[in-house]
Amino acid sequence: MVKKTTMFILLGLLAWTLAACGSGKTGDSGTVAESLKSAISQVSDVVDVNARYSVTTGMGSTAHVRITAAAGTASLETVLHDSLIAFAGASAGMNTSTGVSFQVTEEGQENTINPTTVGLQQSPTVQEILDYASSNG
C-alpha cells in the first residue's frame, strides 16, 4: 500500500512539474516590445518597427525585430548600426541570453540585411548586442 501511495505522489509531482514547464508565457513581454519599438522608431530613416519579445516558461525567450527603412535610404548598414544601439538602450528587462532575430529592409524593396552586416552573428544574443553597442556607440 505504501508503495502505491508513493508512486501516486511521485506521478502527481511529475505531472505538476510538467504542467508548470509548459504553462505558457511569463513576464511583461509586451512592455519590453513597446520599449524596443519606441527606441528604434527614433532612429533616423526608420519608418516602421515590428518588435516582439516572448518569454515561455521552461523554454527560454526570443526577440524578433523587423525594421523598415525609408525608401532611398543612403545606408541600410547605418540604420542597422543605429538600431542595434537603440535596441541596447531599450533592452532593460530582457534576459541577456535571449537570441534576437534582427532585420532591416528598405521600404518597397525585398533585400534584407541582418547583424552579420556589422560583424555579429545572424541571431545575436541580447548580451552580444549590448557588447556591440558599448564598443561601437
mmCIF file with all atom_site columns, all heavy atoms in Angstrom, residues 34-64:
data_model
loop_
_atom_site.group_PDB
_atom_site.id
_atom_site.type_symbol
_atom_site.label_atom_id
_atom_site.label_alt_id
_atom_site.label_comp_id
_atom_site.label_asym_id
_atom_site.label_entity_id
_atom_site.label_seq_id
_atom_site.pdbx_PDB_ins_code
_atom_site.Cartn_x
_atom_site.Cartn_y
_atom_site.Cartn_z
_atom_site.occupancy
_atom_site.B_iso_or_equiv
_atom_site.pdbx_formal_charge
_atom_site.auth_seq_id
_atom_site.auth_comp_id
_atom_site.auth_asym_id
_atom_site.auth_atom_id
_atom_site.pdbx_PDB_model_num
ATOM 1   N N   . GLU A 1 34 ? 7.276  47.109 -26.588 1.00 0.00 ? 34 GLU A N   1
ATOM 2   C CA  . GLU A 1 34 ? 6.908  48.514 -26.821 1.00 0.00 ? 34 GLU A CA  1
ATOM 3   C C   . GLU A 1 34 ? 8.101  49.438 -26.594 1.00 0.00 ? 34 GLU A C   1
ATOM 4   O O   . GLU A 1 34 ? 8.286  50.414 -27.331 1.00 0.00 ? 34 GLU A O   1
ATOM 5   C CB  . GLU A 1 34 ? 5.723  48.922 -25.946 1.00 0.00 ? 34 GLU A CB  1
ATOM 6   C CG  . GLU A 1 34 ? 4.404  48.390 -26.449 1.00 0.00 ? 34 GLU A CG  1
ATOM 7   C CD  . GLU A 1 34 ? 4.091  48.786 -27.892 1.00 0.00 ? 34 GLU A CD  1
ATOM 8   O OE1 . GLU A 1 34 ? 4.264  49.971 -28.263 1.00 0.00 ? 34 GLU A OE1 1
ATOM 9   O OE2 . GLU A 1 34 ? 3.680  47.891 -28.661 1.00 0.00 ? 34 GLU A OE2 1
ATOM 10  N N   . SER A 1 35 ? 8.923  49.143 -25.592 1.00 0.00 ? 35 SER A N   1
ATOM 11  C CA  . SER A 1 35 ? 10.128 49.946 -25.338 1.00 0.00 ? 35 SER A CA  1
ATOM 12  C C   . SER A 1 35 ? 11.095 49.848 -26.509 1.00 0.00 ? 35 SER A C   1
ATOM 13  O O   . SER A 1 35 ? 11.671 50.853 -26.939 1.00 0.00 ? 35 SER A O   1
ATOM 14  C CB  . SER A 1 35 ? 10.825 49.481 -24.062 1.00 0.00 ? 35 SER A CB  1
ATOM 15  O OG  . SER A 1 35 ? 10.024 49.734 -22.943 1.00 0.00 ? 35 SER A OG  1
ATOM 16  N N   . LEU A 1 36 ? 11.269 48.627 -27.019 1.00 0.00 ? 36 LEU A N   1
ATOM 17  C CA  . LEU A 1 36 ? 12.150 48.428 -28.171 1.00 0.00 ? 36 LEU A CA  1
ATOM 18  C C   . LEU A 1 36 ? 11.628 49.201 -29.379 1.00 0.00 ? 36 LEU A C   1
ATOM 19  O O   . LEU A 1 36 ? 12.379 49.908 -30.064 1.00 0.00 ? 36 LEU A O   1
ATOM 20  C CB  . LEU A 1 36 ? 12.267 46.940 -28.516 1.00 0.00 ? 36 LEU A CB  1
ATOM 21  C CG  . LEU A 1 36 ? 12.931 46.042 -27.483 1.00 0.00 ? 36 LEU A CG  1
ATOM 22  C CD1 . LEU A 1 36 ? 12.824 44.588 -27.905 1.00 0.00 ? 36 LEU A CD1 1
ATOM 23  C CD2 . LEU A 1 36 ? 14.380 46.443 -27.271 1.00 0.00 ? 36 LEU A CD2 1
ATOM 24  N N   . LYS A 1 37 ? 10.343 49.053 -29.638 1.00 0.00 ? 37 LYS A N   1
ATOM 25  C CA  . LYS A 1 37 ? 9.726  49.717 -30.791 1.00 0.00 ? 37 LYS A CA  1
ATOM 26  C C   . LYS A 1 37 ? 9.876  51.232 -30.676 1.00 0.00 ? 37 LYS A C   1
ATOM 27  O O   . LYS A 1 37 ? 10.237 51.908 -31.649 1.00 0.00 ? 37 LYS A O   1
ATOM 28  C CB  . LYS A 1 37 ? 8.257  49.330 -30.887 1.00 0.00 ? 37 LYS A CB  1
ATOM 29  C CG  . LYS A 1 37 ? 7.560  49.892 -32.093 1.00 0.00 ? 37 LYS A CG  1
ATOM 30  C CD  . LYS A 1 37 ? 6.141  49.367 -32.211 1.00 0.00 ? 37 LYS A CD  1
ATOM 31  C CE  . LYS A 1 37 ? 5.470  49.940 -33.453 1.00 0.00 ? 37 LYS A CE  1
ATOM 32  N NZ  . LYS A 1 37 ? 4.128  49.420 -33.655 1.00 0.00 ? 37 LYS A NZ  1
ATOM 33  N N   . SER A 1 38 ? 9.607  51.764 -29.507 1.00 0.00 ? 38 SER A N   1
ATOM 34  C CA  . SER A 1 38 ? 9.706  53.209 -29.296 1.00 0.00 ? 38 SER A CA  1
ATOM 35  C C   . SER A 1 38 ? 11.132 53.718 -29.513 1.00 0.00 ? 38 SER A C   1
ATOM 36  O O   . SER A 1 38 ? 11.344 54.733 -30.180 1.00 0.00 ? 38 SER A O   1
ATOM 37  C CB  . SER A 1 38 ? 9.239  53.543 -27.880 1.00 0.00 ? 38 SER A CB  1
ATOM 38  O OG  . SER A 1 38 ? 9.382  54.911 -27.631 1.00 0.00 ? 38 SER A OG  1
ATOM 39  N N   . ALA A 1 39 ? 12.112 53.017 -28.971 1.00 0.00 ? 39 ALA A N   1
ATOM 40  C CA  . ALA A 1 39 ? 13.507 53.446 -29.099 1.00 0.00 ? 39 ALA A CA  1
ATOM 41  C C   . ALA A 1 39 ? 13.991 53.362 -30.543 1.00 0.00 ? 39 ALA A C   1
ATOM 42  O O   . ALA A 1 39 ? 14.623 54.299 -31.057 1.00 0.00 ? 39 ALA A O   1
ATOM 43  C CB  . ALA A 1 39 ? 14.399 52.598 -28.195 1.00 0.00 ? 39 ALA A CB  1
ATOM 44  N N   . ILE A 1 40 ? 13.692 52.271 -31.207 1.00 0.00 ? 40 ILE A N   1
ATOM 45  C CA  . ILE A 1 40 ? 14.180 52.088 -32.579 1.00 0.00 ? 40 ILE A CA  1
ATOM 46  C C   . ILE A 1 40 ? 13.455 53.018 -33.544 1.00 0.00 ? 40 ILE A C   1
ATOM 47  O O   . ILE A 1 40 ? 14.039 53.480 -34.533 1.00 0.00 ? 40 ILE A O   1
ATOM 48  C CB  . ILE A 1 40 ? 14.059 50.606 -33.001 1.00 0.00 ? 40 ILE A CB  1
ATOM 49  C CG1 . ILE A 1 40 ? 14.986 49.750 -32.121 1.00 0.00 ? 40 ILE A CG1 1
ATOM 50  C CG2 . ILE A 1 40 ? 14.393 50.428 -34.474 1.00 0.00 ? 40 ILE A CG2 1
ATOM 51  C CD1 . ILE A 1 40 ? 14.778 48.254 -32.252 1.00 0.00 ? 40 ILE A CD1 1
ATOM 52  N N   . SER A 1 41 ? 12.211 53.362 -33.256 1.00 0.00 ? 41 SER A N   1
ATOM 53  C CA  . SER A 1 41 ? 11.456 54.290 -34.112 1.00 0.00 ? 41 SER A CA  1
ATOM 54  C C   . SER A 1 41 ? 12.103 55.670 -34.174 1.00 0.00 ? 41 SER A C   1
ATOM 55  O O   . SER A 1 41 ? 11.875 56.423 -35.126 1.00 0.00 ? 41 SER A O   1
ATOM 56  C CB  . SER A 1 41 ? 10.020 54.430 -33.600 1.00 0.00 ? 41 SER A CB  1
ATOM 57  O OG  . SER A 1 41 ? 9.319  53.227 -33.764 1.00 0.00 ? 41 SER A OG  1
ATOM 58  N N   . GLN A 1 42 ? 12.915 56.009 -33.167 1.00 0.00 ? 42 GLN A N   1
ATOM 59  C CA  . GLN A 1 42 ? 13.587 57.307 -33.130 1.00 0.00 ? 42 GLN A CA  1
ATOM 60  C C   . GLN A 1 42 ? 14.813 57.371 -34.031 1.00 0.00 ? 42 GLN A C   1
ATOM 61  O O   . GLN A 1 42 ? 15.343 58.451 -34.283 1.00 0.00 ? 42 GLN A O   1
ATOM 62  C CB  . GLN A 1 42 ? 14.000 57.633 -31.691 1.00 0.00 ? 42 GLN A CB  1
ATOM 63  C CG  . GLN A 1 42 ? 12.851 57.646 -30.697 1.00 0.00 ? 42 GLN A CG  1
ATOM 64  C CD  . GLN A 1 42 ? 11.758 58.617 -31.085 1.00 0.00 ? 42 GLN A CD  1
ATOM 65  O OE1 . GLN A 1 42 ? 12.026 59.773 -31.405 1.00 0.00 ? 42 GLN A OE1 1
ATOM 66  N NE2 . GLN A 1 42 ? 10.517 58.142 -31.076 1.00 0.00 ? 42 GLN A NE2 1
ATOM 67  N N   . VAL A 1 43 ? 15.265 56.219 -34.538 1.00 0.00 ? 43 VAL A N   1
ATOM 68  C CA  . VAL A 1 43 ? 16.458 56.174 -35.393 1.00 0.00 ? 43 VAL A CA  1
ATOM 69  C C   . VAL A 1 43 ? 16.140 56.834 -36.734 1.00 0.00 ? 43 VAL A C   1
ATOM 70  O O   . VAL A 1 43 ? 15.077 56.610 -37.323 1.00 0.00 ? 43 VAL A O   1
ATOM 71  C CB  . VAL A 1 43 ? 16.927 54.713 -35.596 1.00 0.00 ? 43 VAL A CB  1
ATOM 72  C CG1 . VAL A 1 43 ? 18.029 54.615 -36.632 1.00 0.00 ? 43 VAL A CG1 1
ATOM 73  C CG2 . VAL A 1 43 ? 17.386 54.127 -34.256 1.00 0.00 ? 43 VAL A CG2 1
ATOM 74  N N   . SER A 1 44 ? 17.074 57.620 -37.213 1.00 0.00 ? 44 SER A N   1
ATOM 75  C CA  . SER A 1 44 ? 16.924 58.308 -38.496 1.00 0.00 ? 44 SER A CA  1
ATOM 76  C C   . SER A 1 44 ? 16.663 57.305 -39.618 1.00 0.00 ? 44 SER A C   1
ATOM 77  O O   . SER A 1 44 ? 17.322 56.262 -39.692 1.00 0.00 ? 44 SER A O   1
ATOM 78  C CB  . SER A 1 44 ? 18.197 59.104 -38.784 1.00 0.00 ? 44 SER A CB  1
ATOM 79  O OG  . SER A 1 44 ? 18.076 59.805 -39.996 1.00 0.00 ? 44 SER A OG  1
ATOM 80  N N   . ASP A 1 45 ? 15.729 57.622 -40.495 1.00 0.00 ? 45 ASP A N   1
ATOM 81  C CA  . ASP A 1 45 ? 15.348 56.836 -41.675 1.00 0.00 ? 45 ASP A CA  1
ATOM 82  C C   . ASP A 1 45 ? 14.519 55.592 -41.366 1.00 0.00 ? 45 ASP A C   1
ATOM 83  O O   . ASP A 1 45 ? 14.199 54.829 -42.271 1.00 0.00 ? 45 ASP A O   1
ATOM 84  C CB  . ASP A 1 45 ? 16.561 56.448 -42.544 1.00 0.00 ? 45 ASP A CB  1
ATOM 85  C CG  . ASP A 1 45 ? 17.200 57.647 -43.209 1.00 0.00 ? 45 ASP A CG  1
ATOM 86  O OD1 . ASP A 1 45 ? 16.457 58.576 -43.606 1.00 0.00 ? 45 ASP A OD1 1
ATOM 87  O OD2 . ASP A 1 45 ? 18.439 57.663 -43.340 1.00 0.00 ? 45 ASP A OD2 1
ATOM 88  N N   . VAL A 1 46 ? 14.137 55.364 -40.106 1.00 0.00 ? 46 VAL A N   1
ATOM 89  C CA  . VAL A 1 46 ? 13.264 54.239 -39.767 1.00 0.00 ? 46 VAL A CA  1
ATOM 90  C C   . VAL A 1 46 ? 11.817 54.705 -39.921 1.00 0.00 ? 46 VAL A C   1
ATOM 91  O O   . VAL A 1 46 ? 11.419 55.702 -39.342 1.00 0.00 ? 46 VAL A O   1
ATOM 92  C CB  . VAL A 1 46 ? 13.521 53.731 -38.330 1.00 0.00 ? 46 VAL A CB  1
ATOM 93  C CG1 . VAL A 1 46 ? 12.443 52.744 -37.899 1.00 0.00 ? 46 VAL A CG1 1
ATOM 94  C CG2 . VAL A 1 46 ? 14.891 53.086 -38.238 1.00 0.00 ? 46 VAL A CG2 1
ATOM 95  N N   . VAL A 1 47 ? 11.040 53.954 -40.740 1.00 0.00 ? 47 VAL A N   1
ATOM 96  C CA  . VAL A 1 47 ? 9.633  54.317 -40.927 1.00 0.00 ? 47 VAL A CA  1
ATOM 97  C C   . VAL A 1 47 ? 8.678  53.349 -40.236 1.00 0.00 ? 47 VAL A C   1
ATOM 98  O O   . VAL A 1 47 ? 7.530  53.694 -39.978 1.00 0.00 ? 47 VAL A O   1
ATOM 99  C CB  . VAL A 1 47 ? 9.259  54.433 -42.431 1.00 0.00 ? 47 VAL A CB  1
ATOM 100 C CG1 . VAL A 1 47 ? 10.009 55.582 -43.066 1.00 0.00 ? 47 VAL A CG1 1
ATOM 101 C CG2 . VAL A 1 47 ? 9.498  53.146 -43.179 1.00 0.00 ? 47 VAL A CG2 1
ATOM 102 N N   . ASP A 1 48 ? 9.139  52.134 -39.914 1.00 0.00 ? 48 ASP A N   1
ATOM 103 C CA  . ASP A 1 48 ? 8.277  51.177 -39.232 1.00 0.00 ? 48 ASP A CA  1
ATOM 104 C C   . ASP A 1 48 ? 9.136  50.180 -38.457 1.00 0.00 ? 48 ASP A C   1
ATOM 105 O O   . ASP A 1 48 ? 10.213 49.792 -38.917 1.00 0.00 ? 48 ASP A O   1
ATOM 106 C CB  . ASP A 1 48 ? 7.404  50.425 -40.238 1.00 0.00 ? 48 ASP A CB  1
ATOM 107 C CG  . ASP A 1 48 ? 6.354  49.550 -39.565 1.00 0.00 ? 48 ASP A CG  1
ATOM 108 O OD1 . ASP A 1 48 ? 5.723  50.017 -38.591 1.00 0.00 ? 48 ASP A OD1 1
ATOM 109 O OD2 . ASP A 1 48 ? 6.178  48.397 -39.999 1.00 0.00 ? 48 ASP A OD2 1
ATOM 110 N N   . VAL A 1 49 ? 8.636  49.789 -37.297 1.00 0.00 ? 49 VAL A N   1
ATOM 111 C CA  . VAL A 1 49 ? 9.320  48.793 -36.463 1.00 0.00 ? 49 VAL A CA  1
ATOM 112 C C   . VAL A 1 49 ? 8.289  47.789 -35.975 1.00 0.00 ? 49 VAL A C   1
ATOM 113 O O   . VAL A 1 49 ? 7.252  48.167 -35.435 1.00 0.00 ? 49 VAL A O   1
ATOM 114 C CB  . VAL A 1 49 ? 10.008 49.432 -35.232 1.00 0.00 ? 49 VAL A CB  1
ATOM 115 C CG1 . VAL A 1 49 ? 10.683 48.372 -34.379 1.00 0.00 ? 49 VAL A CG1 1
ATOM 116 C CG2 . VAL A 1 49 ? 10.983 50.504 -35.649 1.00 0.00 ? 49 VAL A CG2 1
ATOM 117 N N   . ASN A 1 50 ? 8.585  46.527 -36.155 1.00 0.00 ? 50 ASN A N   1
ATOM 118 C CA  . ASN A 1 50 ? 7.776  45.449 -35.599 1.00 0.00 ? 50 ASN A CA  1
ATOM 119 C C   . ASN A 1 50 ? 8.680  44.736 -34.602 1.00 0.00 ? 50 ASN A C   1
ATOM 120 O O   . ASN A 1 50 ? 9.711  44.176 -34.997 1.00 0.00 ? 50 ASN A O   1
ATOM 121 C CB  . ASN A 1 50 ? 7.310  44.503 -36.709 1.00 0.00 ? 50 ASN A CB  1
ATOM 122 C CG  . ASN A 1 50 ? 6.423  43.393 -36.193 1.00 0.00 ? 50 ASN A CG  1
ATOM 123 O OD1 . ASN A 1 50 ? 6.264  43.214 -34.986 1.00 0.00 ? 50 ASN A OD1 1
ATOM 124 N ND2 . ASN A 1 50 ? 5.862  42.632 -37.108 1.00 0.00 ? 50 ASN A ND2 1
ATOM 125 N N   . ALA A 1 51 ? 8.324  44.784 -33.322 1.00 0.00 ? 51 ALA A N   1
ATOM 126 C CA  . ALA A 1 51 ? 9.149  44.162 -32.283 1.00 0.00 ? 51 ALA A CA  1
ATOM 127 C C   . ALA A 1 51 ? 8.296  43.227 -31.442 1.00 0.00 ? 51 ALA A C   1
ATOM 128 O O   . ALA A 1 51 ? 7.181  43.572 -31.052 1.00 0.00 ? 51 ALA A O   1
ATOM 129 C CB  . ALA A 1 51 ? 9.782  45.235 -31.396 1.00 0.00 ? 51 ALA A CB  1
ATOM 130 N N   . ARG A 1 52 ? 8.829  42.033 -31.188 1.00 0.00 ? 52 ARG A N   1
ATOM 131 C CA  . ARG A 1 52 ? 8.172  41.061 -30.312 1.00 0.00 ? 52 ARG A CA  1
ATOM 132 C C   . ARG A 1 52 ? 9.205  40.503 -29.352 1.00 0.00 ? 52 ARG A C   1
ATOM 133 O O   . ARG A 1 52 ? 10.340 40.260 -29.727 1.00 0.00 ? 52 ARG A O   1
ATOM 134 C CB  . ARG A 1 52 ? 7.589  39.898 -31.117 1.00 0.00 ? 52 ARG A CB  1
ATOM 135 C CG  . ARG A 1 52 ? 6.372  40.237 -31.926 1.00 0.00 ? 52 ARG A CG  1
ATOM 136 C CD  . ARG A 1 52 ? 5.831  39.026 -32.649 1.00 0.00 ? 52 ARG A CD  1
ATOM 137 N NE  . ARG A 1 52 ? 6.830  38.592 -33.641 1.00 0.00 ? 52 ARG A NE  1
ATOM 138 C CZ  . ARG A 1 52 ? 7.073  37.334 -33.963 1.00 0.00 ? 52 ARG A CZ  1
ATOM 139 N NH1 . ARG A 1 52 ? 6.413  36.357 -33.407 1.00 0.00 ? 52 ARG A NH1 1
ATOM 140 N NH2 . ARG A 1 52 ? 7.987  37.030 -34.853 1.00 0.00 ? 52 ARG A NH2 1
ATOM 141 N N   . TYR A 1 53 ? 8.780  40.292 -28.116 1.00 0.00 ? 53 TYR A N   1
ATOM 142 C CA  . TYR A 1 53 ? 9.626  39.648 -27.110 1.00 0.00 ? 53 TYR A CA  1
ATOM 143 C C   . TYR A 1 53 ? 8.761  38.636 -26.398 1.00 0.00 ? 53 TYR A C   1
ATOM 144 O O   . TYR A 1 53 ? 7.702  38.973 -25.877 1.00 0.00 ? 53 TYR A O   1
ATOM 145 C CB  . TYR A 1 53 ? 10.186 40.682 -26.125 1.00 0.00 ? 53 TYR A CB  1
ATOM 146 C CG  . TYR A 1 53 ? 11.025 40.090 -25.020 1.00 0.00 ? 53 TYR A CG  1
ATOM 147 C CD1 . TYR A 1 53 ? 12.184 39.367 -25.307 1.00 0.00 ? 53 TYR A CD1 1
ATOM 148 C CD2 . TYR A 1 53 ? 10.678 40.249 -23.686 1.00 0.00 ? 53 TYR A CD2 1
ATOM 149 C CE1 . TYR A 1 53 ? 12.960 38.829 -24.286 1.00 0.00 ? 53 TYR A CE1 1
ATOM 150 C CE2 . TYR A 1 53 ? 11.453 39.721 -22.663 1.00 0.00 ? 53 TYR A CE2 1
ATOM 151 C CZ  . TYR A 1 53 ? 12.597 39.013 -22.973 1.00 0.00 ? 53 TYR A CZ  1
ATOM 152 O OH  . TYR A 1 53 ? 13.369 38.478 -21.974 1.00 0.00 ? 53 TYR A OH  1
ATOM 153 N N   . SER A 1 54 ? 9.181  37.384 -26.422 1.00 0.00 ? 54 SER A N   1
ATOM 154 C CA  . SER A 1 54 ? 8.402  36.308 -25.820 1.00 0.00 ? 54 SER A CA  1
ATOM 155 C C   . SER A 1 54 ? 9.240  35.561 -24.799 1.00 0.00 ? 54 SER A C   1
ATOM 156 O O   . SER A 1 54 ? 10.383 35.203 -25.074 1.00 0.00 ? 54 SER A O   1
ATOM 157 C CB  . SER A 1 54 ? 7.947  35.311 -26.885 1.00 0.00 ? 54 SER A CB  1
ATOM 158 O OG  . SER A 1 54 ? 7.177  35.951 -27.863 1.00 0.00 ? 54 SER A OG  1
ATOM 159 N N   . VAL A 1 55 ? 8.630  35.326 -23.639 1.00 0.00 ? 55 VAL A N   1
ATOM 160 C CA  . VAL A 1 55 ? 9.258  34.519 -22.600 1.00 0.00 ? 55 VAL A CA  1
ATOM 161 C C   . VAL A 1 55 ? 8.313  33.359 -22.322 1.00 0.00 ? 55 VAL A C   1
ATOM 162 O O   . VAL A 1 55 ? 7.151  33.573 -21.980 1.00 0.00 ? 55 VAL A O   1
ATOM 163 C CB  . VAL A 1 55 ? 9.470  35.332 -21.298 1.00 0.00 ? 55 VAL A CB  1
ATOM 164 C CG1 . VAL A 1 55 ? 10.115 34.456 -20.239 1.00 0.00 ? 55 VAL A CG1 1
ATOM 165 C CG2 . VAL A 1 55 ? 10.301 36.566 -21.570 1.00 0.00 ? 55 VAL A CG2 1
ATOM 166 N N   . THR A 1 56 ? 8.800  32.146 -22.514 1.00 0.00 ? 56 THR A N   1
ATOM 167 C CA  . THR A 1 56 ? 7.989  30.961 -22.283 1.00 0.00 ? 56 THR A CA  1
ATOM 168 C C   . THR A 1 56 ? 8.635  30.136 -21.185 1.00 0.00 ? 56 THR A C   1
ATOM 169 O O   . THR A 1 56 ? 9.802  29.757 -21.300 1.00 0.00 ? 56 THR A O   1
ATOM 170 C CB  . THR A 1 56 ? 7.864  30.125 -23.579 1.00 0.00 ? 56 THR A CB  1
ATOM 171 O OG1 . THR A 1 56 ? 7.374  30.974 -24.617 1.00 0.00 ? 56 THR A OG1 1
ATOM 172 C CG2 . THR A 1 56 ? 6.919  28.965 -23.381 1.00 0.00 ? 56 THR A CG2 1
ATOM 173 N N   . THR A 1 57 ? 7.886  29.883 -20.137 1.00 0.00 ? 57 THR A N   1
ATOM 174 C CA  . THR A 1 57 ? 8.400  29.126 -19.004 1.00 0.00 ? 57 THR A CA  1
ATOM 175 C C   . THR A 1 57 ? 8.973  27.796 -19.468 1.00 0.00 ? 57 THR A C   1
ATOM 176 O O   . THR A 1 57 ? 8.329  27.055 -20.198 1.00 0.00 ? 57 THR A O   1
ATOM 177 C CB  . THR A 1 57 ? 7.272  28.878 -17.985 1.00 0.00 ? 57 THR A CB  1
ATOM 178 O OG1 . THR A 1 57 ? 6.725  30.126 -17.603 1.00 0.00 ? 57 THR A OG1 1
ATOM 179 C CG2 . THR A 1 57 ? 7.795  28.143 -16.759 1.00 0.00 ? 57 THR A CG2 1
ATOM 180 N N   . GLY A 1 58 ? 10.184 27.509 -19.062 1.00 0.00 ? 58 GLY A N   1
ATOM 181 C CA  . GLY A 1 58 ? 10.831 26.250 -19.396 1.00 0.00 ? 58 GLY A CA  1
ATOM 182 C C   . GLY A 1 58 ? 11.425 26.200 -20.792 1.00 0.00 ? 58 GLY A C   1
ATOM 183 O O   . GLY A 1 58 ? 12.087 25.243 -21.153 1.00 0.00 ? 58 GLY A O   1
ATOM 184 N N   . MET A 1 59 ? 11.161 27.235 -21.600 1.00 0.00 ? 59 MET A N   1
ATOM 185 C CA  . MET A 1 59 ? 11.644 27.225 -22.983 1.00 0.00 ? 59 MET A CA  1
ATOM 186 C C   . MET A 1 59 ? 12.602 28.377 -23.276 1.00 0.00 ? 59 MET A C   1
ATOM 187 O O   . MET A 1 59 ? 13.217 28.417 -24.320 1.00 0.00 ? 59 MET A O   1
ATOM 188 C CB  . MET A 1 59 ? 10.463 27.310 -23.954 1.00 0.00 ? 59 MET A CB  1
ATOM 189 C CG  . MET A 1 59 ? 9.480  26.163 -23.829 1.00 0.00 ? 59 MET A CG  1
ATOM 190 S SD  . MET A 1 59 ? 10.187 24.570 -24.256 1.00 0.00 ? 59 MET A SD  1
ATOM 191 C CE  . MET A 1 59 ? 10.337 24.765 -26.010 1.00 0.00 ? 59 MET A CE  1
ATOM 192 N N   . GLY A 1 60 ? 12.698 29.364 -22.414 1.00 0.00 ? 60 GLY A N   1
ATOM 193 C CA  . GLY A 1 60 ? 13.568 30.499 -22.643 1.00 0.00 ? 60 GLY A CA  1
ATOM 194 C C   . GLY A 1 60 ? 12.821 31.659 -23.271 1.00 0.00 ? 60 GLY A C   1
ATOM 195 O O   . GLY A 1 60 ? 11.601 31.759 -23.188 1.00 0.00 ? 60 GLY A O   1
ATOM 196 N N   . SER A 1 61 ? 13.562 32.527 -23.930 1.00 0.00 ? 61 SER A N   1
ATOM 197 C CA  . SER A 1 61 ? 12.964 33.716 -24.508 1.00 0.00 ? 61 SER A CA  1
ATOM 198 C C   . SER A 1 61 ? 13.489 33.963 -25.915 1.00 0.00 ? 61 SER A C   1
ATOM 199 O O   . SER A 1 61 ? 14.573 33.510 -26.272 1.00 0.00 ? 61 SER A O   1
ATOM 200 C CB  . SER A 1 61 ? 13.257 34.926 -23.616 1.00 0.00 ? 61 SER A CB  1
ATOM 201 O OG  . SER A 1 61 ? 14.650 35.041 -23.400 1.00 0.00 ? 61 SER A OG  1
ATOM 202 N N   . THR A 1 62 ? 12.692 34.685 -26.694 1.00 0.00 ? 62 THR A N   1
ATOM 203 C CA  . THR A 1 62 ? 13.086 35.057 -28.055 1.00 0.00 ? 62 THR A CA  1
ATOM 204 C C   . THR A 1 62 ? 12.675 36.495 -28.305 1.00 0.00 ? 62 THR A C   1
ATOM 205 O O   . THR A 1 62 ? 11.727 37.001 -27.701 1.00 0.00 ? 62 THR A O   1
ATOM 206 C CB  . THR A 1 62 ? 12.414 34.165 -29.126 1.00 0.00 ? 62 THR A CB  1
ATOM 207 O OG1 . THR A 1 62 ? 10.993 34.281 -28.994 1.00 0.00 ? 62 THR A OG1 1
ATOM 208 C CG2 . THR A 1 62 ? 12.833 32.727 -29.007 1.00 0.00 ? 62 THR A CG2 1
ATOM 209 N N   . ALA A 1 63 ? 13.384 37.146 -29.198 1.00 0.00 ? 63 ALA A N   1
ATOM 210 C CA  . ALA A 1 63 ? 13.044 38.502 -29.609 1.00 0.00 ? 63 ALA A CA  1
ATOM 211 C C   . ALA A 1 63 ? 13.144 38.583 -31.129 1.00 0.00 ? 63 ALA A C   1
ATOM 212 O O   . ALA A 1 63 ? 14.036 37.985 -31.732 1.00 0.00 ? 63 ALA A O   1
ATOM 213 C CB  . ALA A 1 63 ? 13.985 39.513 -28.965 1.00 0.00 ? 63 ALA A CB  1
ATOM 214 N N   . HIS A 1 64 ? 12.202 39.298 -31.711 1.00 0.00 ? 64 HIS A N   1
ATOM 215 C CA  . HIS A 1 64 ? 12.179 39.499 -33.159 1.00 0.00 ? 64 HIS A CA  1
ATOM 216 C C   . HIS A 1 64 ? 12.015 40.988 -33.419 1.00 0.00 ? 64 HIS A C   1
ATOM 217 O O   . HIS A 1 64 ? 11.094 41.609 -32.886 1.00 0.00 ? 64 HIS A O   1
ATOM 218 C CB  . HIS A 1 64 ? 11.015 38.752 -33.805 1.00 0.00 ? 64 HIS A CB  1
ATOM 219 C CG  . HIS A 1 64 ? 11.049 37.281 -33.549 1.00 0.00 ? 64 HIS A CG  1
ATOM 220 N ND1 . HIS A 1 64 ? 11.767 36.411 -34.323 1.00 0.00 ? 64 HIS A ND1 1
ATOM 221 C CD2 . HIS A 1 64 ? 10.476 36.533 -32.581 1.00 0.00 ? 64 HIS A CD2 1
ATOM 222 C CE1 . HIS A 1 64 ? 11.623 35.184 -33.849 1.00 0.00 ? 64 HIS A CE1 1
ATOM 223 N NE2 . HIS A 1 64 ? 10.850 35.241 -32.787 1.00 0.00 ? 64 HIS A NE2 1
#
